[in-house]
């Protein structure tokens, strides 16, 4: 038994006019049914609510104003899910609509609840159809056309493979929209290879992602040990080959160095609210001794954060890692560089680590 996450971008779900690609969605659901019949679990992550709303409302093109985008999503989301529900029900599969926001992913307790819900649905043999809740989540509407969300869902459910379907064949050595002769990159064994290529950031048509967001999503998933394929959702048979790990699109290999679920959440889902700069001694203690970060090792504090927020840790060479801070920015600024007894005198309580080593992700 295998567990797959399949993500469909807006330009796969709908054509340039916003009309649903009914034949394509039917073909995807056929493949889901085949995997389901084989005993595998599948999660669909689908964009397209805004595109669906644009068509229903006859807007003509993707709006720019946030209120318009949210309203279009409100109109389109239910209608989009109904299509998936009917297609899957025709194939004797029960589906469930799951709407997530950036807050659900970034807040640890919400993240764990979402993970538990998805796990139970898969245990019951249900196919979750996941989308971002564009109606209320302003950050999500402009965030990678669900690529980030798909990677987070793959990590949540411990997927065996993530497939990102797009309207391109995969990652090319240059943007094929400006250089049609750019060769396809068949395989990425390590993220360091990506520096060799010109990766487009501009979205196309009704989408909001672009190849850059798909590459970042692939990096996130492979860091969790999940092989990822970016492939065409239009070419016949591409999805089946991608799910099987056969040559198709661009395949990103799972990385050997693995991180815990908490580290992955902290690295990729928890937004940083500030920056803490370390002196050389503190940097060595964190990197070499696995120590916690104490106020005495801090040379500068920037940002506006509260206890429990994530902060980026910087040293002389740049980013060191990311951690959960036990102090507010104002409080940490007052005690930065001070020893424990001095910290206690200022804050009036027993001092604690600025960032405990158990709540720190280096790298």
């Amino acid at each position: 038994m295998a567990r797959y996450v399949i993500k469909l971008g807006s330009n796969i779900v709908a054509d340039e006019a916003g009309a649903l690609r009914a034949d394509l969605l039917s073909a995807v659901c056929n493949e889901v049914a085949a995997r389901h019949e084989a005993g595998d679990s599948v999660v669909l992550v689908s964009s397209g609510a805004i595109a669906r709303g644009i068509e229903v409302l006859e807007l003509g093109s993707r709006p720019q104003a946030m209120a318009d985008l949210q309203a279009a999503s409100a109109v389109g989301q239910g209608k989009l899910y109904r299509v998936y529900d009917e297609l899957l029900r025709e194939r004797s599969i029960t589906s469930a609509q799951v709407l997530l926001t950036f807050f659900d992913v970034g807040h640890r307790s919400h993240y764990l609840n979402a993970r538990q819900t998805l796990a139970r649905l898969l245990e019951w043999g249900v196919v979750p159809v996941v989308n971002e809740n564009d109606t209320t989540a302003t950050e999500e509407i402009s965030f990678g056309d669900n690529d980030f969300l798909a990677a987070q869902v793959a990590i949540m459910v411990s997927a065996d493979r993530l497939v990102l379907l797009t309207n391109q064949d995969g990652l090319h050595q240059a943007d094929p929209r400006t250089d049609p002769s750019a060769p396809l990159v068949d395989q990425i064994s390590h993220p360091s290879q990506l520096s060799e290529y010109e990766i487009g950031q501009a979205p196309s048509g009704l989408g909001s992602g672009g190849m850059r967001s798909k590459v970042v999503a692939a990096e996130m998933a492979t860091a969790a040990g999940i092989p990822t394929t970016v492939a065409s959702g239009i070419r016949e048979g591409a999805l089946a080959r991608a799910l099987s790990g056969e040559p198709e699109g661009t395949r990103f290999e799972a990385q050997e160095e693995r991180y815990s679920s908490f580290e992955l959440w902290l690295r990729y889902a928890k937004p940083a609210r500030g920056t803490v700069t370390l002196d050389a001694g503190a940097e060595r203690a964190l990197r070499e001794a696995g120590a916690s970060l104490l106020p005495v090792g801090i040379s500068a504090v920037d940002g506006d954060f509260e206890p429990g927020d994530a902060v980026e840790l910087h040293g002389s060479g740049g980013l060191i890692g990311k951690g959960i801070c036990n102090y507010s920015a104002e409080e940490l600024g007052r005690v930065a560089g001070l020893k424990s007894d001095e910290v206690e005198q200022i804050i009036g309580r027993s001092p604690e680590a600025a960032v405990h080593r158990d709540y720190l992700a280096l790298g």
Side-chain angles (χ1 to χ4, degrees), residues 95-128:
S95 68
Q97 180 175 230
V98 179
L99 298 178
L100 297 173
T101 67
F102 187 81
F103 180 81
D104 294 323
V105 176
H107 193 282
R108 184 64 176 168
S109 63
H110 288 234
Y111 177 92
L112 294 174
N113 285 336
R115 186 173 71 179
Q116 184 177 22
T117 299
L118 289 169
R120 184 55 54 87
L121 289 171
L122 294 177
E123 287 175 10
W124 287 349
V126 175
V127 172

Side-chain angles (χ1 to χ4, degrees), residues 6 8 23-33 44 165 233 239:
I6 304 169
L8 294 86
D23 291 345
L24 191 152
L25 295 182
S26 181
V28 168
C29 289
N30 282 339
E31 184 61 32
V32 171
L44 291 174
L165 296 179
L239 175 57

Side-chain angles (χ1 to χ4, degrees), residues 310-323:
V311 294
E312 289 187 347
L313 307 180
H314 286 251
S316 57
L319 182 66
I320 297 172
K322 192 175 177 184

Side-chain angles (χ1 to χ4, degrees), residues 73 107 114 143 195 271:
S73 173
H107 193 282
F143 199 97
S195 61

Side-chain angles (χ1 to χ4, degrees), residues 24 152 243 247 306:
L24 191 152
Q152 282 297 321
L243 290 173
E306 297 297 327

Side-chain angles (χ1 to χ4, degrees), residues 263-277:
E263 285 181 299
L264 290 165
W265 169 78
L266 180 56
R267 282 172 175 268
Y268 298 116
K270 180 74 169 172
R273 302 299 185 190
T275 301
V276 175
T277 304

